[in-house]
Amino acid sequence: MTAAGDLVGGRYRLERPIGSGGMATVWRATDEDTGTVVAVKLMHPRVQDDPDLLARFRREADVVSRLDHPCIVRMLDQDAAAEAGPFIVF
């Protein structure tokens, strides 16, 4: 179970959830390497074993990584094999 204070990906300290959907929860977090406030989208444990949803999450990370526009948040990091589960950092 993920909780406030947990460290994800070895550097993102979770602070509080800011949104949740059927596949993931988005957390406000701090990048402990830079001190930057980030959003971490962390896949729910209950769906991490579903190969179709895992592929969908990975596709999302792939698509978002290629977007570049001043009105769209930028993806900063991702890890599909993290101990806490797959995540994307914005």
Side-chain angles (χ1 to χ4, degrees), residues 13-48:
R13 181 76 57 192
L14 301 180
E15 296 175 11
R16 62 181 169 82
I18 56 176
S20 188
M23 195 167 67
T25 298
V26 178
W27 289 78
R28 177 189 167 104
T30 299
D31 180 339
E32 294 206 330
D33 287 354
T34 65
T36 305
V37 174
V38 297
V40 176
K41 185 173 186 176
L42 186 60
M43 195 169 187
H44 294 309
R46 69 178 182 272
V47 298
Q48 291 176 13

Side-chain angles (χ1 to χ4, degrees), residues 70-81:
C71 296
I72 299 174
V73 297
R74 188 171 46 108
M75 188 182 89
L76 303 172
D77 195 4
Q78 69 168 325
D79 190 341

